[in-house]
Amino acid sequence: MAGLQPYVDHRVLLILQDGRAIVGTMAGYDQKSNVVLSDSKERVYSIEEGVEEIPLGLYLVKGDQIVLIGELDEATDKAVDLSTIRAEPLPPIRY
Amino acid sequence: MDASSNGIQEPFDLIRLSLSERVFVKLRGDRELTGVLHAYDGHMNLILSDVEETIMIVDHVEGAPEGHATVNIAKRKMEMLFVRGDGVILVSPPSRT
Amino acid sequence: MLIFSVFKTLTDQRVTVELKNDLSITGTLKSVDQFLNIRLDNIKVLDEARHPHMMAVKNCFIRGSVVRYVQLPAEHVDTQLLEDATRREAAAQNKR
């Protein structure tokens, strides 16, 4: 396994197969790369308005739904005013 | 020519004999590649060099009759490319004329 | 196994991973596993204006199954070695 250990207790961004983007603190994972996030929020992107954050709290994401796990640089992330960001939502994965 | 006389007994032999030759690859998502084949495995993962990719982008015009979609073609080149096997539909050896 | 080995030899090289959601990410290859899951460092998303989603992300883990292509640094790929290894692996498969 390329390893998720370095991400534990760090703020991460998950991109899912359906195009959703979820941020949270990685509380744990298992060998099937199922991931538990604490204090998580979905970031909903749209062209019409800024990014909306929907609180999800403690959240379990199934490993096979995960496209990508990124470590967030917290200083950079906090410096971004999400209400000014306008973008299309990421497209879903198409096989 | 008898297929068994040139060492082709099963489908993958055809790909093996195309190593270091330019091949045509059809992929899911209306994509095609040509490139020089350097490696493959049983999943049809490929490594190609001097690659040209062609993407067919079909625009379905709202309300237009069937078969009136416009097709845009985008091309790009890549020096060395790994292609994941799950997207591969076919690999065709170079035409020997 | 062959492709896995190729990726291992490319550790610490810059690669561009194109995903099946059309996102392209360039980064330094830090590790790869048997599923071809990939870890990249110092990442940069292509066309960041259109895809600002990963602005604050410095490194990432990509699931192998969502990869469409990986663009490799040609100068670090020995094509003759690859072809020989591929023929060897094909011969070993045929014996089984």
Side-chain angles (χ1 to χ4, degrees):
Chain A
M1 199 67 185
L4 296 178
Q5 189 56 39
Y7 297 110
V8 172
D9 289 335
H10 285 75
R11 290 296 281 177
V12 291
L13 167 75
L14 262 57
I15 293 180
L16 307 188
Q17 301 254 5
D18 60 6
R20 279 188 292 164
I22 295 172
V23 295
T25 304
M26 195 188 289
Y29 69 95
D30 64 15
Q31 67 279 29
K32 289 165 109 179
S33 63
N34 299 313
V35 167
V36 175
L37 297 178
S38 63
D39 187 25
S40 63
K41 303 177 188 87
E42 179 178 348
R43 285 186 179 167
V44 183
Y45 289 80
S46 75
I47 289 293
E48 289 78 30
E49 48 195 308
V51 178
E52 189 187 353
E53 282 201 323
I54 298 167
L56 301 171
L58 193 62
Y59 209 64
L60 166 75
V61 185
K62 275 192 74 177
D64 54 14
Q65 287 302 307
I66 296 172
V67 169
L68 174 154
I69 301 174
E71 184 185 356
L72 282 173
D73 183 86
E74 289 201 59
T76 313
D77 195 47
K78 286 202 175 97
V80 177
D81 181 0
L82 286 174
S83 66
T84 65
I85 305 289
R86 264 158 225 196
E88 296 272 6
L90 284 169
I93 293 283
R94 291 196 50 203
Y95 286 95
Chain B
M1 190 166 55
D2 180 10
S4 59
S5 69
N6 55 18
I8 299 180
Q9 271 131 36
E10 49 177 288
F12 270 109
D13 292 340
L14 195 66
I15 303 182
R16 193 185 74 241
L17 293 172
S18 306
L19 278 169
S20 78
E21 303 218 48
R22 185 162 282 278
V23 294
F24 169 83
V25 182
K26 192 170 161 60
L27 297 171
R28 288 177 180 243
D30 303 316
R31 289 162 196 266
E32 294 173 358
L33 303 173
T34 66
V36 180
L37 180 67
H38 298 297
Y40 68 86
D41 65 13
H43 303 289
M44 286 233 201
N45 292 319
L46 311 172
I47 294 177
L48 306 168
S49 71
D50 190 17
V51 180
E52 184 174 71
E53 183 196 40
T54 307
I55 312 175
M56 264 81 59
I57 303 154
V58 183
D59 285 324
H60 295 283
V61 182
E62 196 85 27
E66 197 75 21
H68 279 243
T70 57
V71 180
N72 286 304
I73 289 177
K75 281 186 189 281
R76 64 175 166 156
K77 290 183 192 247
M78 290 162 284
E79 219 182 335
M80 186 69 68
L81 191 69
F82 160 77
V83 181
R84 193 168 163 99
D86 58 4
V88 175
I89 294 170
L90 71 86
V91 180
S92 161
S95 52
R96 296 187 181 84
T97 44
Chain C
M1 240 25 206
L2 170 84
I3 303 280
F4 173 44
S5 308
V6 174
F7 276 109
K8 276 201 289 191
T9 66
L10 293 172
T11 305
D12 291 325
Q13 302 298 332
R14 295 291 280 178
V15 297
T16 299
V17 180
E18 184 174 322
L19 307 183
K20 291 183 182 125
N21 60 9
D22 292 334
L23 206 59
S24 283
I25 305 167
T26 301
T28 307
L29 184 65
K30 287 323 281 185
S31 68
V32 62
D33 64 19
Q34 52 173 334
F35 305 113
L36 305 183
N37 297 323
I38 290 174
R39 261 181 41 136
L40 295 181
D41 238 352
N42 292 317
I43 64 158
K44 188 125 195 74
V45 171
L46 223 79
D47 197 357
E48 211 165 31
R50 234 167 73 89
H51 303 299
H53 315 70
M54 311 248 304
M55 257 191 308
V57 176
K58 294 287 167 271
N59 64 75
C60 68
F61 166 96
I62 299 168
R63 233 180 125 80
S65 60
V66 302
V67 172
R68 180 185 292 133
Y69 302 137
V70 183
Q71 295 181 49
L72 309 173
E75 65 276 21
H76 293 283
V77 178
D78 183 336
T79 54
Q80 190 58 56
L81 201 80
L82 272 186
E83 290 166 21
D84 293 345
T86 302
R87 286 194 188 94
R88 265 202 307 279
E89 197 170 79
Q93 295 281 334
N94 275 351
K95 256 182 242 158
R96 249 176 253 160

